[in-house]
């Protein structure tokens, strides 16, 4: 039976140069899709059969409606989306290849959700009978108003006994580490499950793993040290991270680590080559982990499901992870050889 899961954040229009791996300077056409961290999580959860509710604010015009329609297409509940504001945020995404990394340019200042007010949302109604609330550090980075809304949402979720997860998701184009820590540290008192990579932990919360991420290698033991520090400071029930070994923009190693306060769990390792699109990979991991925790009663299986789902996301264009629970489970226990399913 599906669980009621609420996500809160921004959905944007994504513009990607049409054609394989073209640069912005080469583009004369752009493909249009929609995405955003919390929207991506909601789509994945709906694909797994959960009752996923996405909460945001979009303009009343047709572009805002197109964003809502993109969520409805995958079965996400959109009845709590507020309407109004002047614009929908936009971001441009350039897909990397080999030694050339990908690139993102934001055009999201003054978006509807960044200028939204508390009166736009009835959080007590939104969290009625909810099992889980997920948000990311991108949302409070949008504006002071969005940060206030994130706080109000967390407080309401706690009043309703809802489990809260946060993907730290540091974005240096939105704020500095000093700004981020001033906002994020107080919000951590509401978080049960904290998700984030090495940059997130360092820039958002000030925990720095003793390892060289730029070398393309990951050191699980270094993460264990900061996970213990994070748990001692904020009393998280669980802490998780993906571990990316970036051999090139097209070839990455991929695994994950989870800590429940007493035991560490390490996922299966995947070599993903070639990568089609890595945008949304972290969101698909968050969604898989949330679904697993709510349904499997087995943290190792939950972690393996999350990393398998996110490995599959690397093979798909766009922000949304269009895979089923059965497909992710099959990869988690299978060979991953890509054979045709007949």
């Amino acid at each position: 039976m599906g669980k009621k899961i609420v996500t809160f954040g921004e959905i944007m229009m994504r513009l990607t140069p049409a054609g394989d791996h073209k640069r912005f300077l080469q583009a004369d056409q752009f493909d249009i899709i929609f995405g955003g961290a919390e929207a991506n999580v909601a789509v994945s959860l709906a694909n797994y059969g959960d009752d996923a509710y996405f909460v945001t604010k979009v303009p009343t015009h047709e572009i805002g409606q197109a964003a809502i329609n993109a969520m409805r297409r995958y079965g996400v509940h959109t009845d709590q989306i507020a309407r109004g504001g002047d614009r929908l945020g936009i971001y441009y995404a350039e897909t990397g290849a080999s030694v050339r990394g990908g690139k993102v340019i934001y055009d999201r200042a003054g978006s509807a959700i960044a200028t939204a007010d508390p009166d736009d949302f009835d959080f007590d109604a939104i969290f009625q009978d909810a099992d889980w609330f997920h948000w990311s550090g991108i949302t409070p980075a949008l504006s002071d108003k969005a940060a206030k809304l994130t706080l109000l949402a967390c407080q309401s979720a706690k009043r309703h006994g809802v489990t809260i997860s946060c993907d730290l998701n540091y974005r240096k184009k939105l704020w500095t580490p000093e700004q981020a820590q001033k906002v994020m540290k107080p919000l951590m008192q509401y978080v049960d499950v904290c998700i984030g990579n090495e940059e997130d932990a360092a820039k958002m919360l000030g925990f720095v793993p003793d390892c060289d991420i730029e070398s393309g290698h990951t050191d699980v033991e270094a993460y264990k040290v900061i996970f213990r520090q994070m748990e001692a400071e904020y009393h998280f029930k669980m802490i998780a991270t993906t571990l990316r070994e970036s051999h090139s923009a097209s070839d990455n190693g991929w695994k994950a680590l989870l800590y429940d306060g007493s035991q560490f769990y390490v996922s299966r390792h995947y070599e993903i080559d070639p990568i089609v699109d890595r945008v949304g990979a972290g969101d698909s991991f968050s969604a898989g982990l949330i679904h697993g925790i709510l349904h499997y009663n087995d943290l190792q299986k939950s972690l393996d499901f999350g990393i398998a789902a996110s490995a599959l996301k690397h093979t798909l264009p766009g922000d949304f992870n269009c895979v089923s629970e059965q497909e992710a489970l099959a990869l988690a226990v299978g060979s991953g050889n890509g054979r045709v399913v007949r």
Side-chain angles (χ1 to χ4, degrees):
M1 181 178 178
K3 301 290 187 177
K4 180 179 177 180
I5 305 165
V6 178
T7 73
F8 172 67
E10 181 173 32
I11 186 168
M12 293 182 290
M13 176 186 289
R14 169 178 164 178
L15 300 176
T16 302
D20 291 339
H21 299 100
K22 278 190 175 181
R23 305 213 68 187
F24 295 135
L25 294 174
Q26 297 174 292
D28 50 21
Q29 297 182 62
F30 287 84
D31 291 328
I32 298 174
I33 58 173
F34 294 91
E38 295 87 356
N40 300 342
V41 171
V43 167
S44 285
L45 290 165
N47 284 336
Y48 303 148
D50 288 308
D51 287 325
Y53 288 74
F54 178 54
V55 181
T56 191
K57 186 176 182 179
V58 299
T60 56
H61 53 52
E62 290 84 353
I63 301 303
Q65 188 60 48
I68 292 176
N69 292 349
M71 303 299 290
R72 288 177 175 170
R73 176 181 181 183
Y74 296 99
V76 174
H77 296 276
T78 60
D79 48 298
Q80 298 291 353
I81 293 178
R83 302 301 296 266
D86 295 328
R87 66 187 301 253
L88 190 77
I90 297 171
Y91 85 98
Y92 301 83
E94 183 180 279
T95 303
S98 187
V99 296
R100 175 174 60 84
K103 188 171 187 178
V104 167
I105 298 175
Y106 289 128
D107 179 15
R108 65 200 302 181
S111 66
I113 188 62
T115 58
D117 294 307
D119 290 344
D120 288 317
F121 306 100
D122 183 348
F123 285 120
D124 284 326
I126 288 168
F127 289 113
Q128 188 71 37
D129 300 321
D131 297 285
W132 198 287
F133 172 45
H134 178 79
W135 58 282
S136 85
I138 295 173
T139 301
L142 298 175
S143 66
D144 291 342
K145 282 190 171 185
K148 176 64 174 177
L149 286 170
T150 305
L151 173 62
L152 293 174
C154 287
Q155 291 172 337
S156 178
K158 277 301 177 188
R159 285 197 300 272
H160 288 271
V162 178
T163 299
I164 299 177
S165 60
C166 172
D167 185 349
L168 297 175
N169 257 347
Y170 177 71
R171 295 291 184 268
K172 64 182 179 181
K173 292 186 178 182
L174 295 180
W175 55 3
T176 66
E178 293 73 24
Q179 292 171 321
Q181 290 182 34
K182 183 178 179 180
V183 173
M184 291 294 288
K185 285 183 175 181
L187 287 169
M188 291 301 101
Q189 66 182 296
Y190 302 100
V191 174
D192 300 296
V193 180
C194 183
I195 304 167
N197 63 23
E198 72 288 338
E199 182 181 32
D200 299 330
K203 299 297 174 54
M204 292 290 212
L205 302 180
F207 296 97
V208 182
D210 184 19
C211 57
D212 181 10
I213 301 302
E214 294 299 322
S215 67
H217 300 286
T218 54
D219 183 352
V220 169
E221 294 305 315
Y223 285 91
K224 289 182 178 181
V225 172
I226 65 165
F227 275 17
R228 291 190 181 98
Q229 294 172 347
M230 291 168 67
E231 192 276 333
E233 178 75 19
Y234 296 109
H235 308 292
F236 299 127
K237 294 179 181 177
M238 297 180 204
I239 308 169
T241 186
T242 53
L243 301 171
R244 185 182 296 276
E245 299 161 354
S246 188
H247 312 308
S248 74
S250 309
D251 178 8
N252 286 183
W254 190 240
K255 62 183 177 183
L257 176 68
L258 174 70
Y259 180 50
D260 68 355
S262 60
Q263 184 174 346
F264 288 94
Y265 301 84
V266 181
S267 77
R268 179 177 174 180
H269 178 274
Y270 293 93
E271 283 293 335
I272 308 170
D273 180 20
I275 293 172
V276 174
D277 190 340
R278 58 176 276 181
V279 175
D283 305 323
S284 58
F285 170 73
S286 295
L289 183 64
I290 292 167
H291 180 79
I293 291 170
L294 284 172
H295 292 277
Y296 298 154
N297 196 32
D298 182 328
L299 290 183
Q300 186 65 59
K301 182 178 180 180
S302 300
L303 186 67
D304 287 337
F305 177 79
I307 203 66
S310 60
L312 287 169
K313 169 60 196 74
H314 287 77
T315 72
L316 298 169
D319 278 43
F320 296 158
N321 193 24
C322 303
V323 302
S324 68
E325 180 179 21
Q326 292 73 25
E327 288 170 322
L329 285 172
L331 179 60
V333 301
S335 66
N337 58 18
R339 290 172 64 95
V340 175
V341 177
R342 300 183 187 276

